[in-house]
């Protein structure tokens, strides 16, 4: 149980294009979903927190117009990197939390984004 | 300001021996702590957690100890196996309001278990 998937697993795009990453909780309904970013040899940095049907809460320094988050249902959240630039290249990971798991978050496999 | 610190970037242990991974935190408001295991280019996998009201939690080969007065927790793996080789992240949880529990991660410790 508590499986989270992400799609795509990797993506290469040209600078200026937008990229959408999907995060799904496969066998549970996610109370909250989170989006993280990880640079090489760095820790996971929380970008935003989203609850189904409401606006995402962004961490300080994260541009909400740059990283659009939509939490359409209790099992799906999407992150859209708008007008991507090479500095947006990173490893993006989502996680989901459900009421029965308390404060534990379950992570997806991550999406590697490379912007040329 | 790093609120969760893993001061050892790497640890090497012989198979069958004990692995001890350490984590320190500065925010006394953290009320839940977790350990995750991560392979390159994969998402973290949840291992074990502990509430701030406890000082020990055990699950098979994994035991987490919490010392609140020292703001320190550790993960013990006994016996260590080569398959345990991965990066281990310590994370601390804080209720940010409205049931949104944010995790703050340490930088990770690369554990290598040698056969």
């Amino acid at each position: 149980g508590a499986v989270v998937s992400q799609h795509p697993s990797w993506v290469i795009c040209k600078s200026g294009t937008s990229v959408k990453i999907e995060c799904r909780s496969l066998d549970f309904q996610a109370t909250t979903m989170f989006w993280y970013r990880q640079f090489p040899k760095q820790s996971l940095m929380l970008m935003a927190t989203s609850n189904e049907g409401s606006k995402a809460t962004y961490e300080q320094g994260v541009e909400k117009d740059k990283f659009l988050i939509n939490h359409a249902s209790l099992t799906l959240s999407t992150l859209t990197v708008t007008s991507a630039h090479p500095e947006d290249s990173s490893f993006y990971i989502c996680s989901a939390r459900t009421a029965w798991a308390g404060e534990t978050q379950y992570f997806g496999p991550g999406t590697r984004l490379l912007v040329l | 300001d790093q609120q969760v610190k893993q001061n050892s970037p790497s640890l090497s242990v012989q198979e069958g021996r004990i692995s001890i991974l350490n984590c320190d935190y500065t925010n006394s408001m953290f009320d839940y702590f977790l350990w995750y295991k991560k392979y390159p280019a994969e998402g973290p996998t949840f291992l074990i957690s502990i509430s701030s009201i406890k000082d020990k939690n055990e699950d098979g080969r994994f035991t987490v100890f919490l010392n609140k007065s020292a703001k320190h927790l550790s993960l013990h793996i006994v016996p260590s196996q080569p398959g345990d080789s991965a990066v281990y992240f310590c994370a601390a949880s804080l209720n940010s309001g409205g049931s949104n529990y944010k995790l703050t991660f340490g930088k990770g410790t690369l554990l290598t278990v040698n056969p």
Side-chain angles (χ1 to χ4, degrees), chain B residues 55-75:
Chain B
D55 55 19
K56 178 183 175 181
N57 189 25
E58 191 173 352
D59 183 3
R61 296 187 297 117
F62 302 94
T63 303
V64 55
F65 295 92
L66 175 64
N67 182 333
K68 281 188 65 179
S69 60
K71 295 190 178 69
H72 176 84
L73 66 154
S74 61
L75 174 68

Side-chain angles (χ1 to χ4, degrees), chain A residues 45-65:
Chain A
M45 300 300 296
L46 179 64
M47 299 174 65
T49 302
S50 74
N51 293 296
E52 182 258 346
S54 60
K55 289 185 179 180
T57 303
Y58 290 81
E59 294 300 297
Q60 192 172 14
V62 178
E63 302 174 58
K64 60 181 180 181
D65 294 330

Side-chain angles (χ1 to χ4, degrees), chain B residues 45-97:
Chain B
T45 301
F46 170 69
L47 277 177
I48 192 169
S49 60
I50 187 167
S51 165
S52 61
I53 63 174
K54 294 186 175 182
D55 55 19
K56 178 183 175 181
N57 189 25
E58 191 173 352
D59 183 3
R61 296 187 297 117
F62 302 94
T63 303
V64 55
F65 295 92
L66 175 64
N67 182 333
K68 281 188 65 179
S69 60
K71 295 190 178 69
H72 176 84
L73 66 154
S74 61
L75 174 68
H76 292 210
I77 306 174
V78 181
S80 302
Q81 299 172 354
D84 296 328
S85 297
V87 176
Y88 288 78
F89 286 97
C90 167
S93 177
L94 178 68
N95 186 350
S96 62

Side-chain angles (χ1 to χ4, degrees), chain A residues 3-5 23-30 33 74-77 96:
Chain A
V3 178
V4 177
S5 71
C23 176
R24 293 182 185 272
S25 57
L26 298 184
D27 52 0
F28 66 98
Q29 292 186 325
M33 285 184 166
L74 284 171
T75 59
L76 173 64
S77 177

